């Protein structure tokens, strides 16, 4: 089983010619709503790709007692995600405000709401005991995620931690604790550099150098996603594994990273080697960029297998 401990949001998306700069106002014809939150996105990606496979997916988190919360829970259920460990709180459901420009790039502001009230005690021990893979992000309280990660490792689960958005952690010792509780660290290029710099490592703005330092000095396998250039995993012994993406013209890159993490987690839960799991995750992330919205383009297993067969 894959267990995701993390955020659940409703995304409000506006399409613009260019993303607004500080102090600038830009106009959009309309705003559309999509299901989101990095935790929920990753759970949906894992569940969709898992259809036809052995790995089940459960979500632990929180939503508000409001229409957005009800809709988010229904969406998770519809995608085959177990939501018994999602609490309904007297806080608003988290919302993300997203602008997407003509090239498909995005800018995101998140109002956390109920996500900031998520606690490690929300994770039932019996659920965690069934997990082969635990997936974490940085949109719920970090201390609570750390406690869940430690519990999961004691239960024998593989901890996949997506350090996104970059944690606002200035205490080096605290960051070392997080890395020590992580088996597989997933970051993008900028996140890899930022984490290394907080640790006081001199990486000269080079993400591969940062990934190497994080893996060799702090223990986890460090996977860096690099957009159209695919992804690279650096093992603690310094060896590297590369995975390529499929060339596409993106419609919307929102959710591509979450698709990668969810499909990666599914691959690890099914017993794939890291390289093979990464390759499948890269293909799925490319597929997700062809449709607007964080979850709308996340592929089902048969869709991904068809895309894989087409080369």
């Amino acid at each position: 089983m894959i267990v995701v401990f993390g955020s659940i949001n409703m995304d409000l998306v506006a399409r613009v010619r260019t993303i607004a700069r500080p102090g600038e106002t830009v106009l959009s014809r309309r705003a559309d709503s999509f299901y989101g939150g990095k935790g929920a996105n990753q759970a949906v990606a894992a569940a969709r790709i898992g259809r036809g496979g052995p790995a089940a997916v459960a979500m632990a988190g929180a939503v508000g007692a409001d229409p957005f919360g009800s809709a988010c829970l229904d969406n998770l259920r519809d995608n085959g995600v177990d939501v018994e460990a999602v609490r309904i709180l007297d806080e608003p459901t988290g919302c993300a405000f997203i602008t997407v420009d003509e090239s498909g790039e995005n800018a995101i502001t998140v109002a956390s709401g109920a996500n900031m009230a998520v606690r490690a005690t929300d994770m039932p021990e019996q659920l965690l005991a069934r997990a082969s893979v635990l997936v974490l992000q940085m949109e719920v309280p970090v201390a609570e995620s750390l406690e869940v990660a430690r519990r999961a490792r004691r239960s024998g689960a593989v901890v996949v931690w997506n350090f996104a958005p970059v944690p606002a952690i200035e205490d080096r010792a605290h960051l070392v604790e997080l890395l020590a509780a992580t088996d597989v660290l997933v970051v993008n290029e900028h996140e890899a550099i930022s984490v290394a710099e907080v640790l006081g490592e001199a990486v000269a703005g080079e993400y591969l150098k940062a990934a190497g330092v994080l893996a060799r000095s702090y223990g986890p396998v460090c996977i860096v996603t690099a957009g159209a250039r695919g992804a690279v995993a650096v093992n603690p012994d310094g060896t590297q594994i590369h995975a390529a993406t499929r060339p596409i013209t993106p419609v919307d890159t929102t959710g591509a990273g979450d698709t990668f993490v969810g499909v990666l987690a599914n691959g690890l839960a099914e017993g794939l080697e890291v390289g093979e799991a990464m390759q499948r995750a890269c293909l799925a992330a490319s597929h997700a960029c062809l449709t607007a919205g964080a979850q709308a383009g996340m592929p089902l297993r048969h869709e991904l297998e068809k895309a894989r067969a087409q080369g």
Side-chain angles (χ1 to χ4, degrees):
M1 170 172 275
I2 301 161
V3 177
V4 182
F5 181 78
S7 56
I8 304 169
N9 290 336
M10 184 66 77
D11 292 349
L12 304 177
V13 181
R15 294 192 163 273
V16 295
R17 186 173 62 83
T18 58
I19 292 170
R21 296 169 295 185
E24 181 182 23
T25 298
V26 297
L27 298 180
S28 175
R29 286 189 58 198
R30 55 184 281 175
D32 296 301
S33 59
F34 300 93
Y35 300 107
K38 295 190 73 63
N41 290 344
Q42 292 168 9
V44 167
R48 284 191 182 176
I49 206 67
R51 291 185 178 183
V57 181
M59 178 88 208
V63 296
D66 51 41
F68 279 172
S70 297
C72 287
L73 287 177
D74 287 342
N75 174 66
L76 287 167
R77 292 188 191 99
D78 290 345
N79 279 284
V81 178
D82 184 325
V83 295
E84 289 302 310
V86 177
R87 289 199 302 153
I88 300 173
L89 304 178
D90 189 21
E91 294 278 352
T93 299
C95 284
F97 306 93
I98 303 170
T99 51
V100 182
D101 71 14
E102 291 176 338
S103 70
E105 291 300 321
N106 61 65
I108 304 173
T109 299
V110 177
S112 298
N115 293 314
M116 282 296 106
V118 172
R119 297 292 178 262
T121 51
D122 298 337
M123 177 67 77
E125 200 60 50
Q126 63 270 28
L127 178 61
L128 203 55
R130 295 168 56 200
S132 55
V133 176
L134 171 72
V135 181
L136 304 164
Q137 326 77 36
M138 289 294 188
E139 289 185 335
V140 299
V142 175
E144 306 300 323
S145 294
L146 177 58
E147 176 58 27
V148 172
R150 287 169 169 165
R151 287 168 54 194
R153 291 188 103 194
R154 289 195 295 268
S155 296
V158 173
V159 174
V160 177
W161 205 329
N162 178 206
F163 274 28
V166 175
I169 297 172
E170 297 180 0
D171 183 347
R172 180 183 182 280
H174 188 192
L175 194 49
V176 170
E177 284 186 302
L178 302 187
L179 293 170
T182 304
D183 295 297
V184 180
L185 173 68
V186 183
V187 285
N188 65 24
E189 303 155 86
H190 307 295
E191 291 157 357
I193 293 166
S194 295
V195 171
E197 288 177 344
V198 170
L199 291 165
E201 303 289 351
V203 296
E206 299 177 21
Y207 73 89
L208 281 179
K209 186 173 182 179
V213 168
L214 294 174
R216 288 193 302 271
S217 300
Y218 301 95
V221 175
C222 183
I223 297 177
V224 183
T225 57
R229 287 167 292 169
V232 58
V234 182
N235 294 308
D237 65 4
T239 57
Q240 296 183 10
I241 306 168
H242 294 259
T245 59
R246 171 170 292 179
I248 59 163
T249 300
V251 173
D252 184 0
T253 60
T254 308
D258 293 333
T259 302
F260 179 92
V261 173
V263 175
L264 175 78
N266 174 269
L268 296 176
E270 291 184 359
L272 298 183
E273 296 294 330
V274 169
E276 189 176 356
M278 284 172 54
Q279 192 62 62
R280 191 163 76 175
C282 280
L283 181 58
S286 297
H287 190 286
C289 293
L290 299 176
T291 306
Q295 295 180 15
M298 291 176 173
L300 295 166
R301 180 175 287 252
H302 72 86
E303 294 172 329
L304 195 62
E305 289 176 349
K306 181 179 179 180
R308 213 174 186 179
Q310 292 171 343

